Amino acid sequence: MTAYEISCNVSSVFDRVAEAARSAGRDPSEITVVAASKMNSAENVRSAIEAGIKVCGENRVQEMLEKNALHAYDGADLHFIGHLQKNKVKNVVGLVSLIHSIDSLALLDAVSKTAEAHGIVQDVLLEVNIGNEASKSGFSPSDISSVLRSARLLQGVRIRGLMAIPPICEDPEANAPFFTLMKQLFIDNSEKKYDNSNMDFLSMGMSNDFVSAIRCGSNMIRIGSAVFGPRDYGSKP
Ligand SMILES: *Cc1c(COP(=O)(O)O)cnc(C)c1O
């Protein structure tokens, strides 16, 4: 991908976001586009930021630290969106402004303790396994209110909302029922006010289905291939 191609892709994503938001009667500025930059070079990440991307999301801690050392994310916010192992928490807390992928109470507790030790509060989202898939991590929808109650005692975290990766489907509309369930879960749990939580982000929708996700109420989409082109899993360096 050239810088030019990436900038055309970013413009096209922003255009489609704006159209999806308007057709749902929403303000496009409500929707945060997170560029999911896994397996893309620091140079490609910088091209995306130059083209208007304000938030980058990474999946792997090591890859994020390497690119961060190359100043790939300068000028943008950085989020962590992948599965986070407890032994890597110390590398992520404080470096990123939002962790999307809290999938267990033990991980939430570890993030809170690390943040407290640094004297900061880490913003996080709770990952929901909305398709109830054995292959995916995340809380079940019925766990969310009890996690929010437990988090009242965790002074190092602030829960900012929910994230989901529904079953991958060829049909861009096929995940709409899952998105709708997520929106309802988000509303139900935003109405109760708990300490250490401030539910304002609903992170759902990827390259293939973000239009549907926005229509169903998403306000944070994670876009990889529509910005950076298809990932080449075959030729890992
Ligand atoms: C890779 C990734 C994305 C983006 O996927 P695309 O289909 O390329 O847009 C979004 N969220 C997470 C958690 C990812 O790992």
Side-chain angles (χ1 to χ4, degrees):
M1 279 279 140
T2 64
Y4 177 70
E5 287 170 306
I6 290 173
S7 95
C8 293
N9 287 345
V10 168
S11 302
S12 142
V13 167
F14 284 150
D15 286 348
R16 292 172 64 202
V17 167
E19 194 184 302
R22 281 195 214 98
S23 75
R26 301 174 57 198
D27 183 342
S29 70
E30 284 171 24
I31 293 147
T32 302
V33 178
V34 180
S37 40
K38 59 174 173 273
M39 301 175 74
N40 277 281
S41 65
E43 194 187 339
N44 283 359
V45 174
R46 279 193 291 265
S47 299
I49 294 168
E50 257 164 56
I53 287 292
K54 299 275 186 285
V55 187
C56 296
E58 287 289 353
N59 283 72
R60 296 188 188 86
V61 175
Q62 190 57 38
E63 186 181 335
M64 178 171 77
L65 296 178
E66 284 165 17
K67 281 188 238 176
N68 190 52
L70 298 170
H71 298 283
Y73 314 110
D74 286 8
D77 273 359
L78 181 57
H79 290 181
F80 191 78
I81 62 177
H83 181 67
L84 181 56
Q85 289 165 299
K86 261 190 280 166
N87 62 352
K88 304 254 170 82
V89 163
K90 60 181 182 302
N91 300 113
V92 173
V93 166
L95 174 62
V96 305
S97 56
L98 186 66
I99 301 172
H100 290 227
S101 41
I102 299 293
D103 57 8
S104 71
L105 265 181
L107 180 62
L108 185 65
D109 191 48
V111 168
S112 181
K113 287 204 168 84
T114 304
E116 272 191 276
H118 287 82
I120 60 169
V121 174
Q122 176 68 60
D123 280 348
V124 303
L125 306 180
L126 302 177
E127 181 170 350
V128 180
N129 185 355
I130 194 67
N132 196 18
E133 296 170 277
S135 63
K136 280 197 186 129
S137 49
F139 295 101
S140 92
S142 58
D143 290 340
I144 296 302
S145 64
S146 80
V147 176
L148 288 169
R149 262 178 271 125
S150 308
R152 290 181 298 186
L153 302 172
L154 302 177
Q155 301 302 328
V157 286
R158 183 167 49 184
I159 299 179
R160 299 295 301 272
L162 305 177
M163 179 270 229
I165 310 173
I168 315 274
C169 298
E170 300 291 307
D171 172 2
E173 293 299 325
N175 280 326
F178 296 110
F179 294 144
T180 301
L181 282 172
M182 283 297 298
K183 173 70 178 180
Q184 194 55 50
L185 186 67
F186 178 70
I187 291 171
D188 291 346
N189 285 286
S190 308
E191 281 165 355
K192 309 167 200 146
K193 291 281 174 221
Y194 296 109
D195 286 348
N196 305 333
S197 82
N198 188 350
M199 304 276 283
D200 39 23
F201 297 126
L202 180 55
S203 168
M204 59 186 193
M206 318 206 308
S207 293
N208 194 38
D209 57 13
F210 69 86
V211 170
S212 167
I214 289 170
R215 204 177 293 135
C216 297
S218 169
N219 61 17
M220 190 170 270
I221 58 176
R222 307 175 311 269
I223 306 298
S225 48
V227 167
F228 296 108
R231 288 179 291 277
D232 186 359
Y233 287 106
S235 65
K236 274 192 83 178

